Amino acid sequence: MLKLTPEEAAFCEEVRAFCAQTLTPSITARVRAGMRPTPADWLYWQAALHAKGWGAPTWPREAGGTGWSHRQIYLFDREVAACDGPPQFHQGLELIGPIIYAFGSEALKSRLLPRILSGEDWWCQGYSEPGAGSDLASLRTRAERVGDHYVVNGQKLWTSYAQHASMMFCLVRTESGGSKQSGISLLLVDMKTPGIRVQPIRTLDEQHHVNEVFLDDVHVPVENLVGEEGKGWSYGKVLLDRERAITISYGPRLLRQLAYVREAAAQVATPTGPLLDEPVFQARIAQLEIEILTLEAMGLRTLEEIQEGLDSGPRGSMMKIRWSELLQTMTELWVEALGSDAERFARPGQGPGEDDTFETAGPMLAYLHGRVTTIYGGSNEIQRNIIGRRALGL
Ligand SMILES: Cc1cc2nc3c(=O)[nH]c(=O)nc-3n(C[C@H](O)[C@H](O)[C@H](O)COP(=O)(O)OP(=O)(O)OC[C@H]3O[C@@H](n4cnc5c(N)ncnc54)[C@H](O)[C@@H]3O)c2cc1C
């Protein structure tokens, strides 16, 4: 348990008051049903946080962020989760924003960072390709410099929300030869540029989150190169340390989600009373809660280490693995609790039907979409390799 200072307690109170004023019933209903916000809701939430000065909780002040400590970020995330608020959309805020303010030109910083903060730009991540996922350095999308432009040709795969994005940060090969990692550059691409074609992929949950993105002679101005040509691979390293800040907040959100499962189970009648009171179900919930509390303890330990300036080793990888596994176990339990009601989520090629409430449609969508958590952000096998290298010296 964290012991809060009076200032911290007041801060938590301020976050709760802000959430109470700002979160709409449509946002909280989706979060409580295990679903992600709609793009419109996400933009609304980002704009509201920005207006309050909280647009980028993890960014330093000089980049337009809050400058909060890891502890404040954790408290903020914990309170937002407790109020059934969503996490912020992370591709602009957590993936490309920090690279732009660390390595981008002054022109890129002043042009693009404010638009990430306000939510005016929606960013997608163009890294993965056919044959280049875990082994990302094998990517083959090429960019050739012609005058004051790069001409880009290739294909990106699994590009989340490319259909909504106004900008894509894209790893491209500008040089061949040498090591696979050298000769890769990071380009910022306006999604309206001629030559970009976005083709939807429907995932297991029958939703359209991800896409193939084809790039045919796409002209990208040279000033949209981040940092130096050929050095794009190394810029991703700045994100590694930031991962700790993100994984620390997994515990509180999982605990809140477990409360939703409990609420659902309390409404399910069995011959002997509500499902929630059934001993085997209770034992499963209790086991899950213990494991989530263990993850939470690991997050708090990481917080202490950060405050003391200690290296947490591969704890970010360990927490990513445990979070993804626990999320999958929890959504499975949630679906089991709802029984056949949970099946009513699907209509071919559509989202939840009009006669379905979020309460019944959401958990199945969350369960199916939750499969991705062990794949993206570095698959769990890759995370285990990192742990093997960093903790065991393998
Ligand atoms: C829903 C979804 C959204 C995504 N969003 C984006 C996005 O917005 N932008 C983007 O760029 N990418 C995105 N991705 C891609 C994601 O990052 C990759 O799927 C992931 O990196 C795995 O790559 P892959 O699919 O090519 O699988 P592969 O790398 O081919 O891996 C296949 C299997 O082999 C295992 N494996 C591979 N290499 C090793 C190894 N060295 N040791 C042990 N096991 C190994 C993997 O763990 C996996 O189980 C998304 C993926 C999904 C499913």
Side-chain angles (χ1 to χ4, degrees), residues 135-137 139 171 181-182 184-185 230-237:
D135 183 16
L136 186 57
L139 64 88
L171 284 179
Q181 286 79 7
S182 66
I184 290 178
S185 301
K231 296 273 164 47
W233 186 259
S234 61
Y235 301 145
K237 286 185 191 141

Side-chain angles (χ1 to χ4, degrees), residues 51-194:
K52 171 79 176 159
W54 293 348
T58 62
W59 291 14
R61 241 186 245 279
E62 54 280 15
T66 57
W68 286 340
S69 66
H70 283 75
R71 200 172 149 105
Q72 272 174 297
I73 297 167
Y74 167 82
L75 291 175
F76 175 76
D77 288 342
R78 187 183 79 173
E79 296 307 325
V80 172
C83 295
D84 302 326
Q88 285 163 272
F89 188 73
H90 71 291
Q91 307 239 1
L93 271 178
E94 301 302 339
L95 297 185
I96 189 61
I99 294 183
I100 294 177
Y101 66 65
F103 301 105
S105 64
E106 289 308 317
L108 282 181
K109 287 187 215 176
S110 56
R111 174 156 62 92
L112 296 174
L113 295 180
R115 295 175 62 84
I116 295 177
L117 289 169
S118 63
E120 279 164 274
D121 273 335
W122 183 297
W123 284 83
C124 64
Q125 180 188 31
Y127 281 14
S128 304
E129 298 183 4
S134 304
D135 183 16
L136 186 57
S138 292
L139 64 88
R140 284 178 302 180
T141 295
R142 290 197 57 79
E144 196 183 334
R145 175 119 187 219
V146 180
D148 54 3
H149 281 79
Y150 286 100
V151 181
V152 183
N153 281 286
Q155 181 194 345
K156 296 293 171 181
L157 185 61
W158 307 121
T159 321
S160 299
Y161 294 102
Q163 74 274 31
H164 302 296
S166 52
M167 295 291 293
M168 171 167 66
F169 54 103
C170 196
L171 284 179
V172 294
R173 190 160 290 290
T174 39
E175 241 177 85
S176 305
S179 76
K180 278 201 294 190
Q181 286 79 7
S182 66
I184 290 178
S185 301
L186 178 59
L187 286 183
L188 308 179
V189 182
D190 185 331
M191 290 296 281
K192 288 195 294 299
T193 318

